[in-house]
Amino acid sequence: MNSKLIAFIFVTIFLSSIRVQAHWSESIKESTSVIVDTFSPSINSNKTSSTEFSTPEADTEFKRVAKEYGIPSRLVKDFNGINNGYYVIAGVYGDQINANKFVQKLKRLRLNPSIIKHPVSKLNYISLGHHEHWKGAISSCVSEMNGKYQSEVWIMNVQNGKSKIPIEKKPSIDKPDIRSGNTSKDFLEAAKENKVAARVIPEFEGLKNGYYIVAGVFGDSKNVASFQTKLRKKKLDSRVITHPESKLNYVIVRESTDWRASILACQSKLDGKYKDKLWIMNVNNPNEKPAFNEAQLTNKKEAVDYPTPVINTTKSKNSKFVSRSTKKRAGNSTNDKLLEKADLYFDKMWYAEAADLYEQVLELDPNNQSFKIIEKAGDAHYYNTNMERAYYWYDKLYTNYKDEMSAENIFKYAHSSKGTGKYARAKRLMRLYDKEMKKGNSRALEDFSRATPDEVILDNILSAEETFSIANLAINSKYSDFSPMFYNDNELVYTSAMDSSFLNTRRYKWNNQPYLDLYVAKVNLESQEVKDAIKFSKKINTKYHEAAVTFSPDNKTMYFTRNNYGKKLKRAKNGDNNLKIYMSKKVDGEWTEGKELPFNSDDYSTGHPALSPDGKQLYFVSDMPGSIGMTDIFVVDVLGDGDFSEPRNLGPEINTERKEMFPFINEKKLYFSSNGHVGMGGLDIYEVAYDDEAGFLEVRNVGKPVNSKKDDFSYIVNEETQKGFFASNRRGGKGDDDIYSFQRLLPEEANENAIAGVVTEVVTGEVMPEALVMLLDENNIKLKEVVTGEDGSFVFEDLESSTKYILKTVKDTYDIDEQTVLTEDNILVQTDVSLKKLQDLVMIEDGIKKLKIDMIYFDFDKFYIRNDAANELDKLVDIMKENKSMVIKIESHTDSRGKKAYNKYLSDKRAKSTREYIISKGISPARIESAIGYGEERLLNECDGTVKCSSAKHQLNRRSEFIIVKM
């Protein structure tokens, strides 16, 4: 997404619920307004014709350019009674009264509409202008009728009417004098209207007055050289100029005395050679003569090829870029109204519009950049997945308000850092985030240099060899395309915001795109080319969102996601319109009306369905009660006759406190997208193998190039061919979200890595059958388990090479054994286990019977039971269960830090929490004679406060001991 939303992420209102680009969150609003892509016809038609009339070549060129600029067009040959030509149409009505009302509304906007009645259909077409040449019509559309009309329009090309269409002659550009006092003002206003970033600089040593198109600004000269190499590969010349004060290096790719030519060059992306961001720097020193004349232009093509640009220089309420003079005139009242409107849009989850308004507020009044405004500016861009601008504002928030940032702020700052490729910064921020979460979301931020396990995982992902080839599909539109799904033997059903109806101007306000529908297209199984896309089924597609479909094995039942609505959208108690899963059956070759599933609710969302290969289980995404995070993956059993089991959460091995979504499952693996597991930025795609006995195994990131620093999701694959499709909003696509095909270049090879061993009794050396041996990962998550055979042997196969595992062996009346094992490449690692009887853990020390287990330690100033303490207490519980008459007493101690009275209180709390833990494991309270805290009265070393001691020495004094009173 070069800023736009990742797809049907669904949270409470499509995107709160479905978001065309992947954020599950908020609510759907219906709207008829739309922001049309800016167009200044840099339509470089080098064709001149001696013919006076329209030609088939001209019609083809019209369609091409209209499509390029996202303007719907239609050829009409039966519209008799009106002149041939190109009509800009704002609406079509069957009712004459409604048509008249619409015309009056347009007239109030100072437009000059007219009603054209079709001679056959009798429909009333509302025209905003007639043009003999298509260039004039397109220019009028893109300039929004000089800023007077901002809703969607389309162009009707009438042929076989009253007259033929004379071809307009190519006009020339009126060159402004750069010395004119109003040039910079006109330039800035035109740049704002045409959404081109611009900046005026009074002087720049080394540059003469003029307009300079800048492709990049760098602090490091090494990066400049690399960037210029990249430009040369695109056949673009550039030069570098260093600012004398900031020392920043500006890479200039084109320069001119004409701001019109510069704006057109930016909008044409330098004649299609450069797709990344460009901006214009106007050096305008009033005491200096013009830098060069037209004969000295660096790129002489500018003076020859550009037609007259239709650039609107009127003021727009939605302009992004505000001139300095405008800022001075803007009063607090104006800014307050903008801020009020921005907050209103933000609350409605119209993030694209809110982001623009926050930008204006912050630009108009640089001195009023409060924590709340900057935070909302960052959040608006973040939810709209414009990670570049989100990072800009989160970075400013961190610079100005570091100590006030919450853990949530830090998380978004980290993700926007990853989303812009700043992985080193993202690592550091995630350390801060983890620390904040452990501290209960404390505001104080600290710096940490120690690498975390998550950082190690990220490093492995980034350094892994790429094993995929990917390609952008031809069916992608300029809107959102995502959620592909296999259908029949050679078809693909997918979701798209592509609006194929020229008369449909309905838009989803989150990101000003058409509502989503399902499409079906043909797939070449060899080349993976996808073509001939058509809308799926009229019974399934409605006027609201439909997306994310899955089919039964026989392709006679389908499940899909849709907005919750009857005759109109239904709202939850909080005002959100949630998502629901619907089922449809294929009867006599036609799909039936969708029927919602019984576990749907008006109060939460369900969506993104995915059937297991046998059709017996349905996986889906929801934020229903019982969710671990923002959205979790659930599963239900398909019982038949429209019945389903109760939903089951897949658990913390799959789901995180963030978002998991877009599941897909085949015979071997579950695939899903998440921004809660360690990844490269935004949503990443993960895979997890499934074992019939152990269930889901280790979650793995599928790696580059499938995953990127943007949102990557809705992954499907044929495990046999290792071919499939996924969606992404990464840079270089055709629209917001695009569908990509992929093929894994190196099929996964079965490895021979294994761990094997024999379990014996430590004293006698006898083998021990029926011992339970568990294989855990570094995070103590169980991967597999086996029971030893008669010979006491065990083996774990098909493991990862050079990976650290934990072996945990358990048997009744014996102490639990744990040891760490590191696998090697294609080698069987022999690891034997020796178990010790629990009875042997009883010892006498200074005439007192004690249990010989590792001491129970506590964190500083805390009394909760740590995981390592729980493991040791479990040994104690096992001993007491084996010795039914054993009675103990618990003694808890602290170190010398803090006040004595408080330490006595703290140690007593620790003793009591230890007692409660043991009782919770089934031990009778009567078997614990006492649980007393002694504070710092019984130190084990010299650390009494008179000498300096390390943290490790202090921890020795923070302990609990277990005295045997009766056996």
Side-chain angles (χ1 to χ4, degrees):
M1 321 190 230
N2 178 15
S3 95
K4 301 181 182 177
L5 312 157
I6 134 188
F8 194 108
I9 273 180
F10 103 151
V11 70
T12 26
I13 190 167
F14 184 64
L15 278 26
S16 184
S17 245
I18 301 184
R19 161 186 165 196
V20 184
Q21 233 114 2
H23 285 271
W24 163 295
S25 60
E26 344 312 307
S27 73
I28 295 180
K29 308 286 180 185
E30 183 179 359
S31 171
T32 56
S33 67
V34 61
I35 298 175
V36 180
D37 288 343
T38 302
F39 171 89
S40 282
S42 66
I43 310 165
N44 284 336
S45 179
N46 295 324
K47 299 177 184 177
T48 56
S49 174
S50 58
T51 310
E52 190 182 4
F53 302 107
S54 175
T55 64
E57 289 78 13
D59 292 338
T60 301
E61 183 72 358
F62 159 58
K63 291 177 183 178
R64 181 190 68 76
V65 176
K67 182 177 180 181
E68 179 181 347
Y69 288 93
I71 302 171
S73 63
R74 202 176 192 185
L75 174 63
V76 179
K77 293 189 176 182
D78 61 346
F79 213 135
N80 298 321
I82 63 173
N83 290 331
N84 285 346
Y86 301 85
Y87 293 80
V88 178
I89 305 297
V92 182
Y93 292 85
D95 190 323
Q96 182 71 48
I97 295 176
N98 291 335
N100 291 335
K101 288 181 180 178
F102 187 53
V103 166
Q104 294 304 314
K105 175 182 175 181
L106 295 175
K107 287 182 177 179
R108 286 195 294 270
L109 297 175
R110 297 184 180 179
L111 291 165
N112 187 27
S114 59
I115 299 178
I116 309 170
K117 186 179 288 291
H118 194 281
V120 178
S121 68
K122 305 304 180 183
L123 291 174
N124 298 282
Y125 288 69
I126 312 302
S127 171
L128 294 180
H130 167 243
H131 301 267
E132 293 180 332
H133 195 281
W134 57 266
K135 290 183 183 178
I138 290 179
S139 298
S140 181
C141 289
V142 177
S143 70
E144 298 171 340
M145 278 52 72
N146 292 323
K148 296 177 183 178
Y149 189 66
Q150 297 179 353
S151 295
E152 186 173 79
V153 294
W154 57 281
I155 299 174
M156 178 171 64
N157 177 11
V158 176
Q159 295 185 8
N160 295 334
K162 285 185 177 180
S163 60
K164 294 185 178 179
I165 310 163
I167 297 267
E168 292 177 359
K169 300 214 177 183
K170 182 176 182 181
S172 60
I173 293 183
D174 293 329
K175 300 292 182 183
D177 184 354
I178 198 169
R179 290 168 292 188
S180 166
N182 292 325
T183 299
S184 292
K185 176 183 174 183
D186 294 343
F187 159 62
L188 285 172
E189 291 178 345
K192 285 189 297 182
E193 286 300 316
N194 292 273
K195 299 181 182 178
V196 175
R199 185 180 176 190
V200 177
I201 298 179
E203 56 182 319
F204 194 132
E205 186 178 334
L207 291 180
K208 300 293 186 179
N209 283 354
Y211 300 88
Y212 299 84
I213 298 179
V214 180
V217 182
F218 298 87
D220 190 334
S221 57
K222 294 180 181 178
N223 293 335
V224 174
S226 174
F227 186 64
Q228 285 192 289
T229 301
K230 175 183 174 182
L231 293 175
R232 282 194 291 273
K233 290 180 180 179
K234 298 177 182 291
K235 297 182 180 180
L236 288 171
D237 294 328
S238 63
R239 69 172 175 131
V240 179
I241 188 75
T242 302
H243 195 281
E245 296 178 2
S246 68
K247 305 303 180 186
L248 291 175
N249 300 287
Y250 290 68
V251 180
I252 297 170
V253 291
R254 189 168 291 184
E255 48 200 82
S256 173
T257 56
D258 180 9
W259 55 262
R260 291 180 173 88
S262 297
I263 290 176
L264 289 175
C266 286
Q267 293 205 322
S268 72
K269 293 294 184 180
L270 302 181
D271 301 325
K273 295 178 182 178
Y274 192 72
K275 295 183 179 181
D276 293 335
K277 186 176 181 180
L278 297 166
W279 62 280
I280 302 172
M281 177 172 62
N282 172 209
V283 178
N284 189 10
N285 185 348
N287 298 321
E288 182 180 299
K289 293 181 179 180
F292 34 70
N293 55 41
E294 293 307 316
Q296 297 170 320
L297 283 174
T298 302
N299 191 329
K300 294 189 174 53
K301 184 178 180 181
E302 294 178 54
V304 179
D305 288 344
Y306 288 108
T308 300
V310 181
I311 296 178
N312 187 1
T313 58
T314 61
K315 292 184 177 7
S316 168
K317 294 180 181 179
N318 295 320
S319 299
K320 270 191 181 180
F321 303 99
V322 184
S323 69
R324 298 181 187 276
S325 59
T326 304
K327 283 192 285 184
K328 290 178 181 178
R329 293 193 304 267
N332 291 332
S333 175
T334 301
N335 218 27
D336 290 344
K337 289 180 180 178
L338 282 174
L339 182 57
E340 183 179 348
K341 192 172 184 179
D343 289 340
L344 175 65
Y345 286 168
F346 188 92
D347 292 340
K348 288 184 176 183
M349 292 169 281
W350 298 354
Y351 294 121
E353 293 174 328
D356 280 352
L357 291 178
Y358 284 127
E359 292 273 0
Q360 290 185 57
V361 169
L362 292 163
E363 179 76 10
L364 280 166
D365 192 356
N367 297 320
N368 183 26
Q369 299 196 355
S370 68
F371 177 94
K372 208 63 188 172
I373 297 176
I374 297 175
E375 179 188 40
K376 281 193 169 182
D379 286 351
H381 284 301
Y382 182 87
Y383 293 135
N384 200 33
T385 60
N386 182 345
M387 290 303 172
E388 287 81 3
R389 293 305 295 170
Y391 171 81
Y392 174 84
W393 290 115
Y394 289 143
D395 187 59
K396 188 175 285 292
L397 194 69
Y398 183 81
T399 301
N400 297 335
Y401 301 99
K402 175 180 177 180
D403 294 336
E404 297 179 40
M405 289 181 73
S406 67
E408 183 72 11
N409 296 144
I410 300 166
F411 180 87
K412 292 173 183 175
Y413 185 21
H415 264 248
S416 62
S417 297
K418 283 197 286 186
T420 51
K422 300 173 179 65
Y423 291 109
R425 179 177 291 257
K427 287 183 191 178
R428 175 176 174 274
L429 290 168
M430 285 310 295
R431 287 185 219 151
L432 295 178
Y433 172 74
D434 292 341
K435 188 69 176 177
E436 294 303 290
M437 294 302 290
K438 290 177 182 177
K439 292 192 299 183
N441 206 26
S442 171
R443 296 279 180 176
L445 302 184
E446 305 168 28
D447 194 8
F448 302 92
S449 58
R450 180 175 58 83
T452 65
D454 285 357
E455 291 178 41
V456 174
I457 295 173
L458 179 58
D459 286 339
N460 290 337
I461 294 170
L462 295 175
S463 61
E465 180 182 358
E466 295 186 8
T467 59
F468 293 85
S469 64
I470 66 174
N472 191 292
L473 298 185
I475 58 169
N476 288 317
S477 68
K478 75 169 190 174
Y479 297 113
S480 224
D481 306 282
F482 61 99
S483 279
M485 181 52 62
F486 300 121
Y487 181 55
N488 294 326
D489 293 329
N490 63 341
E491 290 182 299
L492 193 75
V493 175
Y494 67 100
T495 304
S496 178
M498 173 176 55
D499 190 1
S500 60
S501 171
F502 297 141
L503 307 183
N504 186 357
T505 60
R506 300 181 65 258
R507 288 293 184 271
Y508 174 47
K509 285 295 276 185
W510 180 300
N511 63 346
N512 287 312
Q513 289 206 6
Y515 280 80
L516 298 168
D517 277 330
L518 296 174
Y519 290 76
V520 61
K522 298 290 185 181
V523 179
N524 184 314
L525 300 181
E526 184 62 32
S527 66
Q528 290 187 278
E529 292 177 356
V530 181
K531 60 181 181 179
D532 301 333
I534 58 174
K535 283 199 172 183
F536 184 66
S537 167
K538 292 181 179 179
K539 288 290 184 69
I540 303 300
N541 289 327
T542 66
K543 62 182 180 180
Y544 294 116
H545 287 301
E546 282 78 31
V549 63
T550 187
F551 297 95
S552 61
D554 61 2
N555 285 323
K556 292 184 178 180
T557 302
M558 67 178 289
Y559 300 88
F560 62 95
T561 312
R562 174 186 285 166
N563 295 122
N564 176 20
Y565 84 100
K567 293 183 179 179
K568 63 179 182 178
L569 287 174
K570 296 180 181 179
R571 304 285 178 188
K573 293 178 181 178
N574 62 1
D576 291 340
N577 171 252
N578 290 311
L579 298 180
K580 289 186 175 181
I581 300 175
Y582 292 78
M583 177 178 67
S584 175
K585 298 282 188 179
K586 200 169 192 179
V587 179
D588 297 330
E590 295 292 335
W591 291 103
T592 61
E593 294 284 354
K595 177 182 178 182
E596 70 169 271
L597 301 192
F599 50 83
N600 290 331
S601 172
D602 291 342
D603 296 324
Y604 55 79
S605 283
T606 55
H608 301 183
L611 272 172
S612 60
D614 59 7
K616 294 181 179 180
Q617 290 185 314
L618 180 69
Y619 294 79
F620 64 95
V621 177
S622 180
D623 59 347
M624 66 174 58
S627 298
I628 295 172
M630 296 177 179
T631 59
D632 284 3
I633 300 176
F634 291 79
V635 63
V636 293
D637 298 321
V638 181
L639 304 177
D641 297 326
D643 293 329
F644 300 85
S645 68
E646 289 296 316
R648 303 185 298 277
N649 191 300
L650 293 194
E653 291 80 10
I654 305 293
N655 294 315
T656 68
E657 75 275 10
R658 293 284 162 178
K659 297 177 185 176
E660 279 68 45
M661 53 191 66
F662 296 101
F664 171 77
I665 190 164
N666 55 31
E667 297 84 353
K668 295 183 178 181
K669 294 179 180 179
L670 169 71
Y671 296 88
F672 64 96
S673 290
S674 171
N675 65 357
H677 291 276
V678 181
M680 298 171 62
L683 290 172
D684 268 21
I685 297 165
Y686 298 84
E687 62 181 15
V688 53
Y690 183 82
D691 181 86
D692 290 335
E693 295 183 0
F696 289 113
L697 304 181
E698 182 182 5
V699 174
R700 297 181 186 173
N701 188 297
V702 300
K704 301 178 297 183
V706 169
N707 285 327
S708 67
K709 63 186 181 181
K710 297 291 187 177
D711 287 318
D712 310 291
F713 56 101
S714 60
Y715 180 101
I716 63 173
V717 62
N718 181 318
E719 290 290 348
E720 291 184 6
T721 64
Q722 284 297 300
K723 292 180 179 181
F725 303 89
F726 70 97
S728 177
N729 64 349
R730 66 191 60 195
R731 182 169 292 178
K734 297 177 182 177
D736 288 346
D737 303 308
D738 279 5
I739 300 175
Y740 293 79
S741 65
F742 72 83
Q743 180 171 10
R744 181 164 276 183
L745 304 178
L746 299 174
E748 294 182 272
E749 299 178 1
N751 65 68
E752 301 298 327
N753 304 320
I755 298 173
V758 177
V759 179
T760 60
E761 205 277 339
V762 69
V763 177
T764 65
E766 293 178 355
V767 298
M768 303 190 68
E770 298 183 354
L772 178 64
V773 185
M774 293 172 280
L775 183 75
L776 298 87
D777 66 11
E778 286 186 282
N779 298 314
N780 280 313
I781 295 174
K782 184 170 67 175
L783 306 176
K784 299 180 181 181
E785 64 181 23
V786 296
V787 176
T788 57
E790 290 298 320
D791 59 354
S793 66
F794 67 89
V795 62
F796 294 106
E797 299 177 302
D798 298 323
L799 304 180
E800 293 295 318
S801 62
S802 304
T803 302
K804 190 182 293 183
Y805 292 94
I806 299 172
L807 282 183
K808 184 175 183 178
T809 307
V810 178
K811 187 170 174 62
D812 291 341
T813 75
Y814 287 85
D815 184 20
I816 297 172
D817 180 87
E818 282 192 13
Q819 50 186 301
T820 300
V821 184
L822 184 66
T823 57
E824 300 180 39
D825 192 20
N826 288 318
I827 292 178
L828 177 94
V829 178
Q830 188 71 30
T831 307
D832 293 330
V833 177
S834 297
L835 297 183
K836 182 188 297 184
K837 274 188 173 292
L838 290 173
Q839 188 66 36
D840 296 335
L841 298 179
V842 178
M843 59 172 289
I844 298 177
E845 184 177 288
D846 298 328
I848 301 174
K849 274 188 180 181
K850 295 183 179 181
L851 288 172
K852 188 182 178 181
I853 64 175
D854 290 341
M855 288 187 180
I856 306 302
Y857 294 117
F858 296 87
D859 289 334
F860 174 69
D861 204 29
K862 304 294 182 184
F863 56 85
Y864 64 82
I865 303 299
R866 302 188 330 192
N867 289 336
D868 57 348
N871 292 335
E872 294 304 313
L873 289 177
D874 288 342
K875 296 179 184 179
L876 169 61
V877 170
D878 290 337
I879 295 172
M880 295 186 74
K881 285 182 177 179
E882 183 183 4
N883 299 273
K884 304 296 185 182
S885 61
M886 179 184 287
V887 178
I888 66 170
K889 62 180 181 179
I890 303 169
E891 296 180 352
S892 184
H893 310 272
T894 68
D895 58 32
S896 62
R897 293 180 290 183
K899 294 183 179 181
K900 286 186 178 182
Y902 178 76
N903 286 339
K904 189 76 177 285
Y905 162 81
L906 181 61
S907 63
D908 197 66
K909 294 288 287 184
R910 289 173 174 174
K912 298 298 190 291
S913 66
T914 303
R915 178 179 184 273
E916 292 303 315
Y917 181 89
I918 296 171
I919 292 172
S920 73
K921 294 296 183 178
I923 301 300
S924 170
R927 298 179 63 191
I928 303 175
E929 183 178 276
S930 62
I932 301 173
Y934 292 91
E936 57 185 271
E937 297 171 5
R938 301 179 182 181
L939 301 175
L940 296 179
N941 51 34
E942 72 278 15
C943 299
D944 60 359
T946 62
V947 296
K948 186 176 182 180
C949 288
S950 65
S951 295
K953 282 190 174 184
H954 279 300
Q955 180 164 284
L956 287 174
N957 293 316
R958 298 195 303 271
R959 69 198 188 278
S960 286
E961 295 178 321
F962 306 93
I963 312 301
I964 300 175
V965 177
K966 179 183 176 182
M967 283 292 289

